[in-house]
Amino acid sequence: MFKLSRYYSVASFIAILAVIIVLSLYYRANAVESLMEHQTRTNVSLAQAFANSVWSKYKAFVHQASAIAPSELPDRNEIKQLQADIRAQMTGLNVVKVKIYNLDGLTVFSTDPSQIGADKSSNSGFLKARAGKVASSITFRNEFYAFEKVIIDRNLVTSYIPIFRQSDDTVGAVFELYSDVTELIDELERTTWHVVSGVALALLILYAVLTAIVIRADNIIRSQEDKRKASEAKVRHQAYHDPLTGLPNRASFCERLDEAIKRGHRTGKSVGVMFLDLDRFKIVNDSLGHDAGDQLLKVVAKRVQAVARETDMLFRMGGDEFTIILEDLRYAEDSARVAKRVIDSVSQLARLDQHEVTVTVSIGIAIYPKDASDVEDLVRGADAAMYRAKQAGRNTFAAYTEDLNVRAIERFTLESELQHALRNNEFVLHYQPKVSLPGNGAIIGMEALLRWEHPRLGLLPPDQFLTILEDTGLILSVGEWVLRTACRQNHAWQAQGLLHTRVSVNVSAPQFRDRSLVSIVHDVLEETGLEAKFLELELTESLLIENTQEAIAIMDELKNIGVFLSIDDFGSGYSSLNYLNRFPVDLLKIDQTFIKHMLTDRKDAEITHAIADLAHALNLGLVAEGVENNEQLTFLRAHGCDEAQGFLFSHPLPVEEFQRLLIEGKLQTTAELALADTRDLTAEA
Ligand code: C2E
Ligand code: MG
Ligand code: MG
């Protein structure tokens, strides 16, 4: 902000300083000038008086002096007489030296005898005086020869004065008089100082008074400005907020939604808009009074805020209407999850001051960019959906488009069914063998893969329910069950002498981030009796990228237990090679998509090749999954792949079938045959 007092004080201080300096210089110059004029007049009168009294005696001598040899001049009687006359006339005055020149510029006389005979014909003062004018100047001398003695540090006024002949009024000779004005100059300096300091003091007092006034004015202006800003902020807040709940209001909603849509457009993510309308709020208001109604609205606002995600924005549009903007939606169904939570929390019993009431809410949802591409259409869509929810019997939500409704309902149903699946023993594990390529098809491991035997929908693969398990946190208990079941099964098969190999178990992100993973693995091994070297944990690449330091620490602990670690779906994430070096893992499982396309896509072939080189360079085992045909197998063998897994050898199998094939030795035979085929292919090539 512009600070008036600062600018004023600096500017006026500089101005005052300038005035004082100019004034003092001007005053002094003027005073010196008038001092010199005064002294010149005195010198002229003295010269004139001297000329009047004794000049007639000497004028002939002075006139003819040029004819006398300069060296003889000082010894002439006239000179001695002149010296005596001048001394007699000038004693007691401030005259310190007298010189007399004839018209030729010859120094005929000087009170300093050493200067007699000197030529002054070209001196400007002399020339001016010979032309009939007085010439004066003031000078400072450190050392000066005056009337037979030396004087020190003096200010002198020197005047060249013409002496006129009485006969024809022409110049007959030139006098030069030196007067000592040191005392006068000192006096003048003192008065200058007094005058200037007097003026300076007056100006400074004026300056102080004016500055004080300006500072005060400045403060008044500033405080008025602050008040204006505060009241503007207040007005703005009032304009954008609802006074009852403190939530942002309709005006704010439109602005924010517009911004969110623009962001969504940039990031490519969906934005959800939710319209909330309380069911039968009017009845509460009419029967219990407005105070109770207001209290209820506040309770609802708090509850909705509490269950919304951190990034969701809640608004009160007026009356019993609220809206929520949901940004960064991964799946449109996520909006339905929020709606469900809102419905559940709003419908809880609300305790007001004197009453207990239950109120429900109907919600409409529209999604950018699926349902509409601008604020107006999106709002209209959410509003229409809200009316559908009301028609559907209230206390529910409806989406603008039907498919979202269907998917959301499916998801909710699965979600609630998953809650009981573990208890109802609906999960099973299928096992898929891994074969050794250098070992000519020997079974060297198996992967445990989760399946859900759904009572209605039949056997479901993990991609249909794994994200729900992860989102709801159920993966922790289900994951532990998988680990325990796989270890127990492997131990049992080993006890029966059916195999002597590792079992691998997939670990998902929430399990890995859960602090108890290490102790669970430890306990499960102890409980099932399986040796640590027979357990392999498959960690996906993405899981290791976030919080790498911590991931390395957890992996170190797992390695200490003695289990195998592999990176699953390697190449699909973005792990830095820098870190890869520091992960204490044993195997890389190259992502199946590379295997799938490597025979048709040069790039995928090159990546597969590069990953194989990388694994060898880092001394890691290389596993290929999703191997479906002999050509892929040939390629992988050629690149030094250690283990392979895929439909070529076996699909993932239920326990009984896997066990049957183990007993019959068929798994082994299939794998060996497949490898024999590749050997043939290689031979043919
Ligand atoms: P994954 O760990 O990469 O498992 C390999 C997937 O590829 C399995 O799918 C398997 O059935 C499939 N597969 C095996 N051979 C072939 C083949 O030759 N061709 C093709 N096209 N596919 C093949 P699945 O069983 O559907 O599992 C999918 C993903 O679900 C797994 O990928 C894994 O990430 C996850 N998953 C499975 N079980 C569990 C579990 O118990 N816990 C956790 N956290 N995740 C699991
Ligand atoms: Mg896996
Ligand atoms: Mg995989």
Side-chain angles (χ1 to χ4, degrees):
M1 197 186 136
F2 180 77
K3 244 191 138 201
L4 178 64
S5 52
R6 191 189 310 146
Y7 290 102
Y8 169 79
S9 60
V10 172
S12 55
F13 187 77
I14 292 171
I16 286 175
L17 218 60
V19 166
I20 292 171
I21 291 169
V22 168
L23 184 83
S24 60
L25 290 176
Y26 177 77
Y27 180 85
R28 192 179 182 282
N30 246 350
V32 168
E33 176 78 26
S34 64
L35 176 89
M36 201 169 75
E37 270 170 24
H38 169 79
Q39 192 57 50
T40 303
R41 273 198 303 280
T42 313
N43 286 352
V44 170
S45 323
L46 283 172
Q48 210 54 58
F50 179 74
N52 289 347
S53 63
V54 294
W55 182 237
S56 50
K57 278 206 283 186
Y58 301 107
K59 66 181 174 199
F61 169 70
V62 170
H63 198 60
Q64 292 148 15
S66 298
I68 305 165
S71 57
E72 286 170 16
L73 268 175
D75 300 326
R76 294 287 292 247
N77 271 338
E78 289 90 336
I79 297 295
K80 289 189 179 115
Q81 284 253 246
L82 251 175
Q83 186 89 6
D85 281 343
I86 284 173
R87 190 172 293 234
Q89 287 242 340
M90 305 289 176
T91 339
L93 301 173
N94 63 348
V95 177
V96 287
K97 188 183 215 173
V98 178
K99 288 164 98 173
I100 298 171
Y101 308 100
N102 69 7
L103 293 183
D104 298 331
L106 177 72
T107 312
V108 179
F109 172 79
S110 171
T111 48
D112 175 0
S114 66
Q115 293 176 333
I116 294 175
D119 177 24
K120 276 282 192 140
S121 56
S122 55
N123 179 288
S124 63
F126 165 78
L127 292 172
K128 201 171 167 193
R130 201 183 68 173
K133 299 237 164 60
V134 178
S136 262
S137 64
I138 186 160
T139 49
F140 179 80
R141 300 288 182 92
N142 300 108
E143 218 183 62
F144 186 77
Y145 188 88
F147 280 123
E148 292 157 358
K149 66 171 185 221
V150 174
I151 52 178
I152 305 238
D153 290 344
R154 311 309 282 176
N155 285 296
L156 304 175
V157 171
T158 312
S159 310
Y160 289 87
I161 303 155
I163 302 296
F164 294 95
R165 292 191 185 96
Q166 270 160 357
S167 51
D168 54 1
D169 233 10
T170 57
V171 177
V174 170
F175 275 34
E176 188 185 357
L177 254 69
Y178 290 76
S179 313
D180 183 357
V181 290
T182 310
E183 255 100 67
L184 294 174
I185 290 280
D186 286 350
E187 178 65 25
L188 181 142
E189 226 107 75
R190 269 193 299 280
T191 27
T192 307
W193 169 242
H194 284 151
V195 170
V196 169
S197 52
V199 170
L201 187 69
L203 284 177
L204 285 174
I205 290 171
L206 187 68
Y207 168 76
V209 170
L210 289 178
T211 303
I213 292 172
V214 170
I215 287 175
R216 173 119 183 80
D218 206 17
N219 286 343
I220 292 172
I221 292 170
R222 201 179 304 278
S223 86
Q224 279 172 350
E225 180 72 5
D226 288 349
K227 273 189 206 141
R228 189 183 59 78
K229 276 195 186 144
S231 81
E232 260 176 30
K234 201 168 149 200
V235 168
R236 218 183 128 70
H237 188 269
Q238 280 167 354
Y240 283 93
H241 286 80
D242 159 47
L244 178 68
T245 57
L247 291 176
N249 62 11
R250 183 185 292 272
S252 175
F253 167 76
C254 295
E255 279 184 17
R256 290 307 180 82
L257 183 56
D258 190 45
E259 289 163 14
I261 286 177
K262 283 183 185 135
R263 268 196 295 277
H265 180 70
R266 271 202 308 277
T267 59
K269 292 208 176 136
S270 297
V271 178
V273 173
M274 230 183 245
F275 260 57
L276 286 69
D277 191 285
L278 298 184
D279 302 322
R280 303 200 178 85
F281 174 73
K282 202 167 144 21
I283 299 176
V284 176
N285 224 6
D286 292 349
S287 56
L288 304 180
H290 285 290
D291 278 354
D294 283 356
Q295 276 182 47
L296 183 60
L297 287 173
K298 282 199 221 171
V299 170
V300 168
K302 261 207 199 104
R303 286 183 179 174
V304 176
Q305 193 114 59
V307 294
R309 302 174 311 165
E310 234 170 70
T311 48
D312 299 341
M313 291 177 277
L314 174 64
F315 304 82
R316 182 174 173 221
M317 305 292 275
D320 58 349
E321 279 179 22
F322 297 84
T323 51
I324 302 179
I325 299 176
L326 306 119
E327 271 194 81
D328 289 344
L329 286 179
R330 251 189 322 157
Y331 305 103
E333 293 97 290
D334 287 347
S335 62
R337 286 165 61 81
V338 177
K340 182 102 187 335
R341 283 207 300 266
V342 169
I343 288 169
D344 289 347
S345 94
V346 170
S347 63
Q348 306 283 316
L349 186 71
R351 274 173 237 283
L352 311 180
D353 276 351
Q354 293 159 0
H355 311 276
E356 286 187 344
V357 291
T358 311
V359 70
T360 57
V361 61
S362 298
I363 300 178
I365 306 171
I367 308 284
Y368 165 89
K370 192 166 70 75
D371 299 336
S373 56
D374 62 25
V375 173
E376 225 170 274
D377 289 351
L378 209 51
V379 167
R380 204 174 297 131
D383 202 36
M386 197 265 292
Y387 277 99
R388 283 237 302 280
K390 291 261 185 208
Q391 279 162 5
R394 303 162 201 265
N395 195 25
T396 186
F397 70 88
Y400 182 65
T401 38
E402 199 50 40
D403 69 313
L404 176 62
N405 279 338
V406 173
R407 271 187 294 144
I409 289 166
E410 256 170 30
R411 196 184 151 104
F412 285 140
T413 323
L414 282 187
E415 199 176 307
S416 66
E417 287 169 341
L418 267 179
Q419 308 275 350
H420 314 291
L422 191 58
R423 212 175 326 118
N424 295 348
N425 291 321
E426 289 169 5
F427 289 119
V428 290
L429 291 186
H430 283 190
Y431 294 93
Q432 187 178 32
K434 292 183 189 175
V435 306
S436 160
L437 299 190
N440 292 328
I443 307 283
I444 54 151
M446 55 189 179
E447 179 169 8
L449 294 159
L450 182 62
R451 304 286 181 263
W452 181 12
E453 281 179 340
H454 192 278
R456 245 179 331 111
L457 304 170
L459 195 69
L460 297 181
D463 61 357
Q464 305 234 348
F465 59 88
L466 202 63
T467 48
I468 308 182
L469 283 182
E470 289 175 346
D471 287 354
T472 51
L474 283 169
I475 190 67
L476 295 182
S477 49
V478 174
E480 190 175 337
W481 175 85
V482 171
L483 187 71
R484 183 171 289 111
T485 311
C487 289
R488 188 177 292 144
Q489 185 63 66
N490 186 286
H491 186 254
W493 279 332
Q494 295 207 35
Q496 292 171 45
L498 290 177
L499 48 73
H500 211 58
T501 59
R502 271 177 282 140
V503 62
S504 29
V505 171
N506 293 286
V507 174
S508 66
Q511 287 176 277
F512 190 73
R513 270 186 240 118
D514 185 60
R515 307 225 148 259
S516 48
L517 177 68
V518 177
S519 66
I520 289 175
V521 170
H522 180 268
D523 292 353
V524 164
L525 286 173
E526 208 168 69
E527 196 187 307
T528 58
L530 187 71
E531 276 184 70
K533 64 174 181 184
F534 290 118
L535 176 62
E536 174 181 330
L537 297 179
E538 294 190 1
L539 314 169
T540 52
E541 200 181 1
S542 55
L543 182 155
L544 305 176
I545 299 168
E546 22 185 289
N547 233 338
T548 312
Q549 290 303 332
E550 209 182 313
I552 292 175
I554 297 174
M555 285 191 278
D556 278 335
E557 286 185 58
L558 289 169
K559 278 311 302 176
N560 280 342
I561 297 180
V563 300
F564 262 70
L565 293 182
S566 56
I567 302 186
D568 203 355
D569 306 336
F570 186 79
S572 59
Y574 301 95
S575 54
S576 120
L577 296 180
N578 193 14
Y579 277 122
L580 190 59
N581 199 12
R582 294 166 52 197
F583 290 148
V585 295
D586 306 284
L587 300 157
L588 292 187
K589 270 187 101 170
I590 182 166
D591 193 49
Q592 346 190 338
T593 49
F594 298 121
I595 310 290
K596 193 168 174 186
H597 300 121
M598 67 187 181
L599 296 176
T600 48
D601 185 327
R602 253 183 72 96
K603 249 200 200 131
D604 281 351
E606 274 163 16
I607 293 177
T608 310
H609 191 152
I611 293 179
D613 285 349
L614 182 68
H616 293 138
L618 295 176
N619 225 354
L620 300 176
L622 182 66
V623 186
E625 59 181 342
V627 181
E628 292 183 354
N629 56 50
N630 279 323
E631 290 75 18
Q632 291 167 335
L633 190 60
T634 311
F635 185 95
L636 291 165
R637 293 190 82 186
H639 286 91
C641 179
D642 301 290
E643 300 176 20
Q645 173 186 356
F647 297 166
L648 178 64
F649 309 104
S650 167
H651 279 258
L653 301 171
V655 176
E656 303 72 31
E657 206 176 331
F658 194 88
Q659 179 163 326
R660 191 171 49 78
L661 292 177
L662 272 181
I663 294 171
E664 293 169 3
K666 283 203 179 141
L667 277 180
Q668 192 68 56
T669 340
T670 328
E672 281 165 7
L673 283 174
L675 265 103
D677 279 354
T678 39
R679 272 202 296 277
D680 295 347
L681 276 176
T682 326
E684 277 169 33

